[in-house]
Amino acid sequence: MRARENWLAGRGWGVAALTALVTAVTFRIQPQLKENFTAWPWGFLFPLLAVAGLGGVIFKLRKREERKAFFASCAYLTGMLTSVVFGVYPMVLPARNPVYSLTVTTAKAGAYGLKVGLVWWALGMILAAGYFTFVYRSFAGKVVVDKDSHGYGD
């Protein structure tokens, strides 16, 4: 398993090249990205997070620090996804013709539905937290297992 992992780690530069290619093509076919990144320069933090995460994956796998490489890959994915969301905002689902794009305002539910949803979400979170607390406390403590409790003999 480690041999395959190390082989893939050596191909990390391929992922970097494909990321650069996809980014270039995306900027070419989606003009909204350039507008958003020009209007709000702080948005460049998201692509920087992706680049740092990808670099972290490559270097940490070479040092055989798998846990750190995993968290670096999480940073890469987070940076890529947040870059896309930031870039296409306020669109949720872009179309070739911007008139037909699904935007935040056209995709949202009505005010009444949002209020009802917020109330039910809050109640659901309270119930879930209560259930989690109940289950956690019910099974708290050390488990004592007798040697023959499962019916197995020596």
Side-chain angles (χ1 to χ4, degrees):
M1 186 67 152
R2 240 182 237 277
R4 186 174 68 178
E5 176 185 288
N6 291 332
W7 181 82
L8 286 172
R11 272 66 184 164
W13 297 109
V15 174
L18 287 174
T19 299
L21 177 67
V22 166
T23 301
V25 170
T26 302
F27 269 92
R28 181 165 169 86
I29 64 172
Q30 189 53 258
Q32 183 69 30
L33 271 77
K34 186 177 180 185
E35 292 173 18
N36 283 355
F37 281 105
T38 303
W40 299 294
W42 60 267
F44 280 105
L45 292 175
F46 302 127
L48 287 176
L49 176 64
V51 169
L54 185 57
V57 169
I58 293 168
F59 295 118
K60 292 301 177 183
L61 280 180
R62 286 189 179 162
K63 290 184 174 184
R64 301 193 192 286
E65 297 177 9
E66 290 88 6
R67 182 180 300 234
K68 290 180 182 178
F70 169 75
F71 287 121
S73 72
C74 292
Y76 168 73
L77 291 173
T78 301
M80 290 297 288
L81 292 173
T82 53
S83 295
V84 170
V85 170
F86 177 83
V88 299
Y89 180 83
M91 290 186 279
V92 177
L93 187 61
R96 288 184 185 179
N97 185 347
V99 173
Y100 300 115
S101 293
L102 186 63
T103 64
V104 173
T105 54
T106 59
K108 75 174 186 170
Y112 175 74
L114 289 173
K115 288 176 187 174
V116 170
L118 179 62
V119 169
W120 278 108
W121 177 83
L123 290 173
M125 287 296 108
I126 291 168
L127 285 172
Y131 180 71
F132 175 79
T133 303
F134 168 75
V135 169
Y136 183 79
R137 289 188 178 179
S138 295
F139 293 105
K142 292 186 177 184
V143 176
V144 179
V145 179
D146 295 332
K147 198 172 198 180
D148 293 330
S149 66
H150 297 291
Y152 299 116
D154 286 31

